[in-house]
Amino acid sequence: MRWTPLFAALLLAVASPAFAQNNNGGAGNGVLIDAAGALTTRYDEKLGTKLESARLAAFAAENLPADLNVSSDARKVSLVRLEAALDAATATGEEPDDAMAYLAGLTRIDAVLVKPPAGGEPGDLVLVGPAGGFAPDALGRMVSTAEGDHAGRPVLHLMDLLAALRGGDARRGGAIGCSIDPVPERQARMAQATAGLGAVRSVSQAAGIYRKLANILGDQTVRIYGVEPGSHFGVAMIEADYRMKLISLGLEPSGVRQIPSHLALIGPGANTVQRFYLTDAYEPFAVNADRTAFAFSGPRLRVVTEDQALNADGTIRDAGSRGVPNAEWAKRFSDNVAELCAVRPSFAALQNLYDLAMVSELIRAERLAEKASWKPSLLNDANRMPVPVGPAPKTVPTAFNSKRAGGTVIGLIGGGVSIRPGDALRAAGQAPDASGYLEAAREKAVAAPDARWWWD
């Protein structure tokens, strides 16, 4: 019997600490970035265990105000009042406290609500979502200690909101994203090395060959656009991209039975020169009659794919069709995003980034700040409140995997993350609030107590 393995080489990427904030001791994620910009992964077996959950709960109880450390299905965060609180803190040289830094423990955005000024009362712009207490996990990632489905999910970051409000690459229509790209010259060398590859008769022989090919590809280049590469936002995108690729290769389990590796689905003769992209997935936004309330729904993200072919010079061309295993893997991933995010915090963190980008787009496209008679200053001022950055990720090593199969299949898996909030908002569309439920919820939600910037 002659064996020829299926091979997939992919560029590695993860997220890393971008800034320290009070008790957090670092933004914490699944990667370290050295001074040269090279990424290395981080793991900790304590993550997700009952002992770790108990430690997180104890940390939150000891370090957070009691009212903040309460689970809520619909916590409200006033951006107008938050900015005023931040302005007062910075005026005296103080750093944002933990509640400010992590948006009062929000783990998702369910709605954006506007209160126009009336009767001498100032206007307001309010975010609504589930929330609770929070604490740094074993890798330093700030996660929720709320009860129920949101326990262990990453909380939203103020600095990610600032990055979204100020970000977007004008050359890409305001997009934010990342990709990991092989060096074309090395890709050409790999194409030449595989051109004369004959039948491979054992898995061990295959592993040696493809290890050599991975060495030819060497380090691959990280590109982050629309936000600062060394920001928490930028590195969190790379982490999700990296984890998705590791899962596709079978080098890391998804944690969800319905999401096997892509490698497990492909057979003899399949095209594994593939790029998988993480992109938006929202359902129509519910909107009230005067467009002062918008409700979010949908999985937030999905995977899309395109078949590609490797040219002799190392460049990649569109192969013009989607292979069945490739489309099947993308569908399985996309159909089970909720389950995946419950066990893999890097993807839940990416959902947060999509929500914050959509908040920014709604404020811009629907002129929500004007409707609230609010002129954001500090939140838009990169000089007065800069987004902290750490070492920028620049390179990742090539990884590969192989399996037993007939035929000869050589492949690269690349792709990236694309956040195009304007396109996402148009593509999702809108659903009018015919029942009046959203408007009633808005009227109740924007009735803030006193001058507090968050409330339940």
Side-chain angles (χ1 to χ4, degrees), residues 174-192:
I176 300 171
C178 68
S179 69
I180 311 171
D181 306 310
V183 177
E185 294 79 8
R186 292 176 182 168
Q187 224 170 293
R189 287 172 54 201
M190 194 194 82
Q192 294 166 2

Side-chain angles (χ1 to χ4, degrees), residues 164-242:
L165 290 171
R166 302 168 187 174
D169 188 329
R171 296 169 299 177
R172 294 179 170 89
I176 300 171
C178 68
S179 69
I180 311 171
D181 306 310
V183 177
E185 294 79 8
R186 292 176 182 168
Q187 224 170 293
R189 287 172 54 201
M190 194 194 82
Q192 294 166 2
T194 59
L197 185 64
V200 180
R201 299 180 181 276
S202 71
V203 174
S204 60
Q205 181 189 3
I209 291 172
Y210 294 132
R211 188 174 295 109
K212 179 179 179 181
L213 294 176
N215 288 336
I216 290 174
L217 281 176
D219 288 343
Q220 301 188 40
T221 303
V222 171
R223 289 190 306 120
I224 297 173
Y225 54 88
V227 294
E228 285 291 331
S231 66
H232 180 269
F233 196 120
V235 182
M237 287 193 296
I238 288 292
E239 176 178 13
D241 188 28
Y242 163 76

Side-chain angles (χ1 to χ4, degrees), residues 230-321:
S231 66
H232 180 269
F233 196 120
V235 182
M237 287 193 296
I238 288 292
E239 176 178 13
D241 188 28
Y242 163 76
R243 299 294 186 191
M244 180 263 288
K245 292 178 174 72
L246 285 186
I247 290 169
S248 74
L249 282 172
L251 293 174
E252 186 171 294
S254 69
V256 178
R257 182 178 58 82
Q258 296 87 346
I259 306 178
S261 69
H262 172 246
L263 196 64
L265 298 179
I266 53 182
N271 176 17
T272 63
V273 183
Q274 194 59 220
R275 291 181 73 86
F276 290 111
Y277 296 89
L278 284 158
T279 188
D280 60 87
Y282 284 88
E283 294 173 0
F285 286 75
V287 57
N288 66 344
D290 63 358
R291 308 184 73 78
T292 55
F294 297 82
F296 292 38
S297 62
R300 273 59 173 177
L301 59 90
R302 61 187 169 127
V303 165
V304 296
T305 182
E306 61 177 319
D307 276 8
Q308 294 184 313
L310 184 63
N311 298 321
D313 63 357
T315 59
I316 291 178
R317 67 180 184 276
D318 187 351
S321 66

